[in-house]
Amino acid sequence: MIRLAALLFVLACTPKVAPAPLLAEAETAPGRELAGFVAFVQTVHPDPYRSTSRDRFELVARAAIAALDADAQPSPTDVERAWRSVLAELHDAHAGIGFDPAVLDPQDFSVLPLGLRLTADGAVVDRTLEDWPVGTVVTHIDGVSMDEIVARLVPRTFSDGVGEEPRRARISAEFSRNYHAEFGLRPSYAIRALAPDGTVIEAELQGLTPIALRERRPPSRIGSILGDSPEPWPRLHALPDGTPVVRMPSFGVPDQEAYAARVDAIFDQIGRPDALVLDLRGNPGGLRTHGMAVLDHLTPGPYAQWSRSRARVGEIPAEWADNVVFLYGSSEEALARYVPPRRQGWLEGDPLVSRADPVSEPLLDTKLVVVVDGITGSAANELVLALKAVRPDAVLVGEEVGGGCERHVGEVPIAYRAGKTGVVAMLSLVEIEHVQVEDCEPGRGLIPEERVTWTRDAMVAGTDPFLERAAAVVERLTGR
């Protein structure tokens, strides 16, 4: 998950070209820091222009650098907005940005205590400390319409590829974080909203520090409907007709053996049902071995999640060595292992294929329904793709999948730290090409056969439109 001070920046593949001379054009220290990062990305990123063009990327970078150069002392919001513009142009869901706490202490922030879900009915309140009716829709924040706010957030939101639905899902998932990155921080925020009965609500919400917000954090309406808890473990429940549902909100559990044991216990409990629902909504990824624990119960033989992989460089160029820190146990040695021979082409195959260990009697006759949304990404997306490659009969229900169906960059994560501005960006340096699946459109996530999203009516009623559609699909598949 993207955090304020630790973030993931997943990259892709490119021909070897010299970086543009943006550093020479920058006029101030903040501008030069961003120009140096742009040169770094153009040197080490496997494919910075996969979902854009070099001209477009450099145009965005020049505009961001010029915006910093225009102010002798740009604010942290100005700095983050400029860096976000460049990072978002990579179209990468693992991208992220924050600040070194030694330079900018996030506990000094005054955060908007409001969570929103973007729907066709407007920005529905999902989380608030106010005593507002369920289904209240925010129309303005500090006099700016939500339409304008979303329009400004979309191009600076980190999302795989070019699909708008995953971008809107990511804005919803961390609304306050995205909002403040674009509009800054204030002691209080003027909110205009509409209650379900049409009553206009005018309120001044006092900002809270991140610690105070965590302590007073109200429940999410959607989270309550899903029955989710802070625990990331898989859990079992059922549709009204008894069809088992395996809910997997995260693959971020570090204990691989314990997670696999939980999965095995769930499959022992469900036996051999005629239908099974896997619910991966809101799962941004983590360890892909967790997905393999599930695949072992559903596939007939050896399977792969990756088709091939590659890194562009085997070491951090000396010019940026002092800016880069390897994260989560990664290292320069690990990076070098992904460099193809003669630094051309790809390394074929999946390095974890030997760990695929299907059970002796997998559920091959069980009808499969997989529920996904615009946050389902990285390792969760790899589970979906590997399953669809081996079990094309599995039916997807939900929103466009957040992870790209063709490729993503997500191994060997690093943090790039700027100096004076204190910016910290995280990115990964290895590109992965997924196994091939039908109906994969490059630059997009898989499009479900059954499209569903949240609505204001569902949030008011406390119903789950995703599982309601999944139940209808199960009924059709099984002929019940």
Side-chain angles (χ1 to χ4, degrees):
M1 293 181 64
I2 295 175
R3 300 289 184 188
L4 182 63
L7 323 126
L8 253 165
F9 177 13
V10 196
L11 313 125
C13 352
T14 192
K16 296 182 178 180
V17 292
L22 298 178
L23 189 58
E25 300 175 12
E27 299 176 356
T28 64
R32 285 192 290 272
E33 284 192 338
L34 178 53
F37 177 69
V38 170
F40 172 76
V41 168
Q42 291 185 301
T43 300
V44 306
H45 192 294
D47 188 3
Y49 319 122
R50 180 182 60 185
S51 296
T52 184
S53 67
R54 176 170 178 158
D55 287 346
R56 166 71 184 173
F57 182 79
E58 293 181 356
L59 180 68
V60 170
R62 281 191 167 88
I65 293 166
L68 293 179
D69 285 342
D71 190 336
Q73 291 185 315
S75 69
T77 298
D78 295 331
V79 172
E80 180 168 359
R81 186 186 300 118
W83 280 66
R84 270 183 171 264
S85 296
V86 173
L87 288 169
E89 194 59 27
L90 294 168
H91 298 273
D92 188 336
H94 291 78
I97 184 172
F99 287 90
D100 186 335
V103 176
L104 184 66
D105 187 352
Q107 298 313 318
D108 294 334
F109 292 176
S110 175
V111 178
L112 173 65
L114 194 64
L116 302 177
R117 176 71 195 197
L118 303 184
T119 75
D121 310 302
V124 183
V125 175
D126 180 54
R127 194 190 297 268
T128 181
L129 294 168
E130 305 301 309
D131 188 21
W132 293 344
V134 175
T136 294
V137 172
V138 172
T139 61
H140 295 76
I141 301 177
D142 286 334
V144 182
S145 73
M146 283 303 305
D147 287 344
E148 181 178 344
I149 289 171
V150 173
R152 287 176 58 176
L153 294 185
V154 164
R156 293 193 176 96
T157 299
F158 306 133
S159 178
D160 279 354
V162 297
E164 183 170 345
E165 195 168 47
R167 285 180 181 268
R168 291 174 65 87
R170 289 191 172 275
I171 292 172
S172 296
E174 291 191 329
F175 177 77
S176 288
R177 181 72 185 94
N178 286 291
Y179 174 80
H180 292 308
E182 179 66 20
F183 291 91
L185 297 157
R186 287 175 291 284
S188 64
Y189 303 87
I191 305 297
R192 181 180 176 87
L194 286 175
D197 64 1
T199 301
V200 175
I201 297 172
E202 302 273 2
E204 189 80 12
L205 303 189
Q206 296 300 311
L208 297 176
T209 66
I211 288 179
L213 186 58
R214 280 196 299 272
E215 291 175 347
R216 300 178 60 189
R217 187 176 179 84
S220 158
R221 177 63 174 172
I222 290 177
S224 298
I225 294 171
L226 296 180
D228 282 347
S229 71
E231 294 298 321
W233 297 94
R235 64 181 178 87
L236 178 64
H237 63 105
L239 298 178
D241 67 358
T243 300
V245 179
V246 182
R247 174 83 177 116
M248 294 170 280
S250 172
F251 285 162
V253 177
D255 191 331
Q256 298 179 62
E257 291 186 4
Y259 195 96
R262 294 270 188 120
V263 169
D264 290 343
I266 286 174
F267 277 91
D268 286 343
Q269 185 176 347
I270 66 176
R272 305 193 67 82
D274 60 352
L276 172 65
V277 177
L278 304 179
D279 188 351
L280 292 162
R281 286 176 293 171
N283 187 332
L287 298 177
R288 66 190 183 104
T289 49
H290 295 345
M292 296 177 73
V294 177
L295 289 165
D296 285 343
H297 289 273
L298 303 173
T299 57
Y303 56 84
Q305 295 174 303
W306 296 3
S307 174
R308 52 187 185 172
S309 58
R310 65 177 172 183
R312 186 177 177 187
V313 298
E315 59 184 14
I316 302 300
E319 181 178 354
W320 296 287
D322 291 341
N323 298 94
V324 173
V325 175
F326 286 87
L327 302 173
Y328 311 128
S330 63
S331 64
E332 206 160 54
E333 291 76 13
L335 177 62
R337 290 197 291 270
Y338 286 98
V339 177
R342 299 179 298 280
R343 297 182 181 273
Q344 297 179 350
W346 296 76
L347 296 176
E348 298 295 331
D350 184 340
L352 293 188
V353 70
S354 63
R355 296 184 62 172
D357 187 23
V359 298
S360 58
E361 296 184 11
L363 303 181
L364 303 183
D365 296 326
T366 297
K367 306 299 184 184
L368 298 178
V369 177
V370 185
V371 185
V372 294
D373 64 10
I375 302 300
T376 308
S378 194
N381 180 46
E382 289 170 326
L383 164 58
V384 173
L385 294 168
L387 184 62
K388 286 289 282 186
V390 180
R391 295 284 304 271
D393 59 302
V395 178
L396 297 190
V397 171
E399 301 170 342
E400 178 178 342
V401 178
C405 60
E406 183 189 26
R407 300 175 181 176
H408 85 282
V409 181
E411 295 292 312
V412 189
I414 63 166
Y416 181 100
R417 300 186 297 187
K420 295 182 179 179
T421 57
V423 173
V424 180
M426 283 174 103
L427 40 147
S428 298
L429 301 181
V430 177
E431 181 182 26
I432 295 106
E433 186 171 282
H434 303 135
V435 292
Q436 293 185 356
V437 297
E438 295 180 1
D439 301 322
C440 172
E441 180 182 341
R444 300 288 297 274
L446 279 183
I447 306 297
E449 293 90 341
E450 299 281 339
R451 300 293 296 274
V452 188
T453 191
W454 285 101
T455 66
R456 181 187 193 181
D457 287 347
M459 293 175 68
V460 170
T463 58
D464 186 339
F466 293 78
L467 290 188
E468 288 179 341
R469 184 68 61 84
V473 173
V474 167
E475 183 178 0
R476 186 182 75 237
L477 294 177
T478 61
R480 292 177 185 167

